[in-house]
Amino acid sequence: MTALRSRRRHGYIALGIATVAALTLAGCAEGADEGGDGDGSLEGETVEISGGITGTEADSLQKSFDQFTADTGIEVVYTGDKGFEGNIVTKVAGGSAPDIAIVPQPGLLASLVGTGEVQEGTDEVSANVDEYWAPAWKDYGSVDGTFYAAPMLANLKGYIYYSPASFTEWGVEVPTTWDELLELTKTIQEKTGQAPWCAGFSSEAASGWPGTDWVEDLVLRQAGADVYDSWAAGDTPFTDPDIEAAFDQVAKVLLDPKYVNAGFGDVKSINSTAFGDPIASAVANGTCALTHQGSFLTANFLAVQTAEGATPDVAEDGDVYAFLMPGFEGEPFSVEGGGEFVTVFSDDAATQAVAEYMSTPEFADARVALGGAISANTGADPSLASSKFLTDAMTVVQDPETVFRFDASDLMPATVGSGSFWRGMVDWVDGKPTPQVLEDIQAGYEN
């Protein structure tokens, strides 16, 4: 850490303690008994956070508050729930809201705001978001023009994972356009006699969503950001020629039996293959040349082995690496991704202090340094990421020149984004004609 960053960190800690004290004293002046010992301190106060982050990622999230607790005395307790997205609205409406919820979709945030229980973002949190994030992120954390929730972490969709050693063996290079990617696919198939791609749409929660990422990537890259935004907002229907054109491009890979599903079966086996299996096993052990997935699954390589029985080396000259799906010539560099939003249900001083901390570069640095995560907070340090791959990904989402758009299905109403769109992708792989699939997905808006 540089001297400048160290000074900024100490400056935040001092400011944070002062803010906490001021909030608590204000509460005491009003006769409130919400926290602290009546002396301007929040020592011993506990803030409950819930979300869908589980496992080792949940452990890292909990550890990211260690320094904050040491500085302020506020205990933060995070609880992960695999069924969070399906449970949180019911809990909030029933009076069982946590102090803070980590919400992964703007659409779910809007549903929570609809309960009337979500606190508006404070001036301090709003100022941090204005300073450290691209404007689109504040829009995603707002509902009907009112700002509610600061972004937390980020992830990039649209990565193509591959074996650098195999590329060298085949005499091929990373493509720079979509047409070059299709030509690369053809070349690998001809050189190996095997399907180059592997894919999986099956998920424990609900199947089909990995296919939506493919379509979203192609809509953004082929039709552009304006069409993407209109489509995500529901103004451009799925039956529009621009959306059908994206499906047609994806079909050149996912519906071609010569090109999928390496190591798993035929085209229809995509629906029965778990979404993490291709990236975590097939690419690592060499049975698959290419697979499409987000940055968030790089941690899966720690639990698998190469054909030689070793843990894969994720590097440009290692066992596996990834490049972002290229676009079309003349189009600006654009990517699709996701993230989480810090949604606050309590107005007590300790909760507000935690929410403010979570909107700072210091929180982002603390979590990124623990591994397996990136942040779009421009004040955070990409070099703290746990691999060069994640450092590069974080640099992309921080770059003001990057055209970044949130996962479209997460912006759509649940009846479409996590309903008819997901089901439509499964039907499409099973052989239903594209025009009918598009009509079926669009019908989700009528439910």
Side-chain angles (χ1 to χ4, degrees):
M1 181 183 297
T2 65
L4 174 62
R5 292 187 62 76
S6 296
R7 286 197 298 272
R8 189 187 69 192
R9 181 180 295 278
H10 292 309
Y12 168 75
I13 292 170
L15 175 62
I17 293 174
T19 301
V20 169
L23 286 168
T24 306
L25 288 172
C28 292
E30 296 169 4
D33 59 355
E34 293 181 351
D37 301 316
D39 60 356
S41 170
L42 291 177
E43 183 79 30
E45 287 295 293
T46 299
V47 173
E48 302 280 350
I49 301 179
S50 68
I53 300 170
T54 59
T56 57
E57 291 184 59
D59 295 338
S60 295
L61 178 59
Q62 182 66 67
K63 289 177 183 176
S64 67
F65 292 101
D66 287 352
Q67 187 61 52
F68 174 81
T69 297
D71 293 334
T72 66
I74 301 171
E75 294 288 338
V76 178
V77 178
Y78 173 75
T79 301
D81 174 13
K82 289 185 177 180
F84 171 82
E85 294 171 41
N87 298 332
I88 187 61
V89 175
T90 301
K91 286 184 177 180
V92 171
S96 299
D99 296 316
I100 293 173
I102 297 173
V103 177
Q105 297 114 359
L108 179 55
L109 171 62
S111 296
L112 290 169
V113 169
T115 67
E117 299 299 321
V118 178
Q119 300 288 313
E120 292 184 19
T122 64
D123 291 344
E124 292 79 9
V125 172
S126 180
N128 282 340
V129 175
D130 287 340
E131 181 174 1
Y132 296 119
W133 273 272
W137 284 98
K138 192 169 191 180
D139 291 340
Y140 297 139
S142 301
V143 178
D144 295 332
T146 299
F147 171 65
Y148 287 95
M152 191 178 79
L153 299 176
N155 61 72
L156 279 183
K157 305 289 184 76
Y159 273 103
I160 310 298
Y161 290 84
Y162 71 103
S163 164
S166 294
F167 270 38
T168 298
E169 176 186 344
W170 299 325
V172 297
E173 298 179 348
V174 171
T176 59
T177 67
W178 172 254
D179 286 342
E180 288 181 6
L181 178 61
L182 295 179
E183 185 61 32
L184 171 68
T185 299
K186 180 174 182 291
T187 299
I188 294 175
Q189 195 279 330
E190 291 173 346
K191 286 180 176 289
T192 65
Q194 304 295 323
W197 289 88
C198 51
F201 284 6
S202 178
S203 174
E204 182 178 327
S207 297
W209 65 260
T212 70
D213 290 346
W214 272 91
V215 173
E216 289 157 358
D217 281 342
L218 265 299
V219 171
L220 181 58
R221 286 159 173 77
Q222 186 176 27
D226 289 344
V227 171
Y228 185 94
D229 292 342
S230 176
W231 173 56
D235 297 327
T236 294
F238 275 83
T239 52
D240 186 271
D242 281 331
I243 311 308
E244 184 169 9
F247 272 79
D248 290 343
Q249 291 295 336
V250 176
K252 292 180 180 180
V253 173
L254 291 186
L255 299 190
D256 191 326
K258 300 191 305 296
Y259 294 157
V260 293
N261 191 22
F264 297 97
D266 57 9
V267 170
K268 291 185 178 181
S269 73
I270 292 173
N271 282 334
S272 60
T273 300
F275 75 92
D277 285 355
I279 184 175
S281 58
V283 176
N285 67 26
T287 58
C288 170
L290 302 165
T291 194
H292 172 278
Q293 196 46 266
S295 63
F296 54 88
L297 277 186
T298 54
N300 287 39
F301 287 118
L302 299 176
V304 299
Q305 295 181 336
T306 65
E308 290 73 31
T311 299
D313 177 24
V314 182
E316 290 172 296
D317 58 353
D319 298 305
V320 64
Y321 208 61
F323 57 88
L324 281 165
M325 178 187 285
F328 292 75
E329 290 188 36
E331 291 298 317
F333 181 66
S334 55
V335 295
E336 173 228 346
E340 304 89 0
F341 296 86
V342 180
T343 307
V344 179
F345 297 95
S346 172
D347 62 357
D348 71 69
T351 299
Q352 295 295 339
V354 172
E356 182 180 348
Y357 171 63
M358 294 177 74
S359 69
T360 65
E362 284 68 33
F363 170 80
D365 282 349
R367 177 60 191 90
V368 168
L370 290 167
I374 63 174
S375 172
N377 186 313
T378 61
D381 185 354
S383 70
L384 295 175
S386 53
S387 69
K388 184 180 183 302
F389 172 79
L390 290 177
T391 293
D392 291 345
M394 189 162 163
T395 300
V396 169
V397 296
Q398 289 179 323
D399 188 343
E401 298 300 316
T402 298
V403 177
F404 178 88
R405 288 297 185 271
F406 208 90
D407 185 308
S409 62
D410 287 346
L411 298 173
M412 296 171 181
T415 56
V416 179
S418 57
S420 61
F421 197 0
W422 289 9
R423 292 192 299 272
M425 296 310 302
V426 173
D427 292 342
W428 192 58
V429 165
D430 276 341
K432 183 176 284 190
T434 301
Q436 184 60 57
V437 167
L438 296 175
E439 290 182 10
D440 292 346
I441 297 174
Q442 185 64 27
Y445 281 102
E446 300 172 5
N447 296 329

